[in-house]
Amino acid sequence: MFSKATEYALRATIYISQKSSVEKKLSLTEIAEAIDSPPSFTAKILQLLTKDNCVIHSVRGPNGGFYITEKDKHLPLKKILEAVNENDLFDKCILGLKKCSETKPCPLHFQYKPIKQELIHLFQTNTIQDLSEKADNESLFINNAI
Amino acid sequence: MFSKATEYALRATIYISQKSSVEKKLSLTEIAEAIDSPPSFTAKILQLLTKDNCVIHSVRGPNGGFYITEKDKHLPLKKILEAVNENDLFDKCILGLKKCSETKPCPLHFQYKPIKQELIHLFQTNTIQDLSEKADNESLFINNAI
DNA sequence: TTAATTAAGGACAAAAATACCTTTAATTAG
DNA sequence: CTAATTAAAGGTATTTTTGTCCTTAATTAA
Ligand code: FES
Ligand code: FES
């Protein structure tokens, strides 16, 4: 479904939302450990998420790290997909035609359309906070721990 | 969503189902042109689909080519995904955890689950024939023609 | 100011996916 | 049988994705 980059971006943002604040920033090392991802690659992805402060923030130096503001916790998950350039999933044809369109539909178009709509809905209505709260309250996981 | 290989496999099989019969086999060249795919790469994918005659059949030599039997047209699309080893989409965690499970669910698991079920349903209930008939009767496309 | 810490940024490496090409085997027509 | 045709099979090349490493910049504390 998603690329590794996107999966790490989603898991990392959820973790940052759970554990960080302006006063308590999280280091790359802590984040990568918490979400079971390769640290160096994760660094690149976090850079995308901090670009233009679009989703998360970062500070260098001692006690620096990554954090998210209360305001940004209300961003929809879709924002994360945009940040890592995987937003186009929702425009794509399931059979790989260059354009998914109503006027030149593929044989699966009309059956896939409602499913695609639900996927879009899922990523547009759920905020970062929704997921991190859920993960806090219920017994949910963002790593492969035993 | 799917890899290029899977997209080509689906489009190729639909085309073969539309145009071929035991008497009228289709050459690699014709198929690749019809579905807008790179011929050499398509050859590899068709090999996977002919392996053990799992979805389509092939004959070498003059007037040889690829075809599908009436019986095999009743196979579900899922069979094509299995042939190209992309069947695991339906077991995967949307956040990339190693196991998608009810006992160790990710924060999106319970919302993604019904969508995943609909996807599975789509590929299990639709047969190859269903799609090729639809493409015949309605105005549906399996290439990028203008 | 200096040393320590932490992310940013760029170059590089490995792996996987995609695509191509050449040779071989099967089949058919003449 | 021979030549032509077509897929099978294998190797190779290219591109994209994934992952690493090293240097630089920013920040902090002493
Ligand atoms: S044209 Fe294929 S999904 Fe819309
Ligand atoms: S555990 Fe993530 S989708 Fe099931």
Side-chain angles (χ1 to χ4, degrees):
Chain A
M1 172 74 79
F2 292 128
S3 66
K4 287 288 169 200
T6 301
E7 292 171 354
Y8 299 151
L10 289 165
R11 303 219 299 268
T13 306
I14 294 169
Y15 182 72
I16 292 168
S17 176
Q18 279 182 299
K19 294 291 185 72
S20 84
S21 65
V22 183
E23 305 86 46
K24 188 173 176 303
K25 304 183 190 74
L26 310 176
S27 73
L28 168 66
T29 314
E30 174 179 351
I31 295 167
E33 253 172 38
I35 69 168
D36 261 343
S37 67
S40 308
F41 189 42
T42 305
K44 297 294 182 195
I45 295 153
L46 292 179
Q47 273 181 45
L48 291 173
L49 293 169
T50 28
K51 196 103 180 171
D52 310 316
N53 289 326
C54 66
V55 179
I56 59 175
H57 295 254
S58 70
V59 185
R60 295 197 261 203
N63 302 313
F66 300 91
Y67 68 97
I68 187 169
T69 63
E70 288 303 316
K71 184 160 164 285
D72 286 342
K73 285 188 188 177
H74 294 102
L75 292 171
L77 296 183
K78 197 154 180 295
K79 190 84 181 175
I80 301 171
L81 302 188
E82 284 164 21
V84 296
N85 309 307
E86 186 135 28
N87 197 33
D88 59 338
L89 170 67
F90 303 137
D91 306 322
K92 268 192 200 154
C93 166
I94 195 170
L95 292 191
L97 299 185
K98 280 183 191 133
K99 284 275 300 171
C100 168
S101 84
E102 298 280 305
T103 51
K104 293 199 57 194
C106 75
L108 274 179
H109 178 86
F110 293 110
Q111 286 184 270
Y112 176 55
K113 192 177 166 185
I115 299 177
K116 187 196 280 189
Q117 283 308 321
E118 287 174 60
L119 273 173
I120 295 174
H121 184 260
L122 181 64
F123 282 85
Q124 267 178 347
T125 57
N126 279 285
T127 66
I128 295 167
Q129 186 167 43
D130 290 341
L131 285 213
S132 60
E133 267 180 9
K134 226 179 263 175
D136 270 342
N137 299 336
E138 307 166 36
S139 182
L140 302 177
F141 299 80
I142 52 174
N143 63 35
N144 302 301
I146 308 163
Chain B
M1 172 74 77
F2 292 129
S3 66
K4 288 286 168 200
T6 301
E7 293 172 354
Y8 299 151
L10 289 165
R11 304 219 299 269
T13 306
I14 293 170
Y15 182 72
I16 292 168
S17 176
Q18 279 183 299
K19 294 290 185 74
S20 85
S21 64
V22 184
E23 306 85 46
K24 187 171 177 306
K25 305 182 190 74
L26 309 175
S27 73
L28 167 65
T29 314
E30 173 178 353
I31 295 167
E33 253 172 39
I35 69 168
D36 261 343
S37 68
S40 310
F41 190 41
T42 306
K44 295 294 183 197
I45 294 155
L46 292 179
Q47 273 181 45
L48 291 174
L49 294 168
T50 28
K51 195 101 180 172
D52 310 316
N53 289 325
C54 67
V55 179
I56 59 175
H57 297 255
S58 71
V59 185
R60 294 199 261 204
N63 302 313
F66 300 89
Y67 68 98
I68 187 168
T69 64
E70 288 302 317
K71 184 159 164 286
D72 286 341
K73 284 188 187 177
H74 294 101
L75 291 171
L77 296 183
K78 199 156 179 295
K79 190 83 181 177
I80 300 170
L81 302 189
E82 284 165 21
V84 296
N85 309 308
E86 187 136 27
N87 197 34
D88 59 340
L89 171 68
F90 303 137
D91 306 323
K92 267 190 201 156
C93 165
I94 196 170
L95 293 192
L97 299 185
K98 281 186 190 130
K99 284 275 299 173
C100 167
S101 83
E102 298 279 305
T103 51
K104 293 200 57 194
C106 74
L108 274 178
H109 178 86
F110 293 110
Q111 286 185 270
Y112 176 56
K113 191 176 167 186
I115 299 177
K116 187 195 282 191
Q117 284 308 321
E118 288 174 59
L119 273 174
I120 295 175
H121 184 260
L122 181 64
F123 281 86
Q124 267 178 347
T125 58
N126 279 285
T127 67
I128 295 167
Q129 187 166 44
D130 290 340
L131 285 213
S132 60
E133 268 179 10
K134 227 179 263 175
D136 271 342
N137 299 337
E138 307 167 36
S139 182
L140 302 177
F141 298 80
I142 52 174
N143 63 35
N144 302 302
I146 307 164

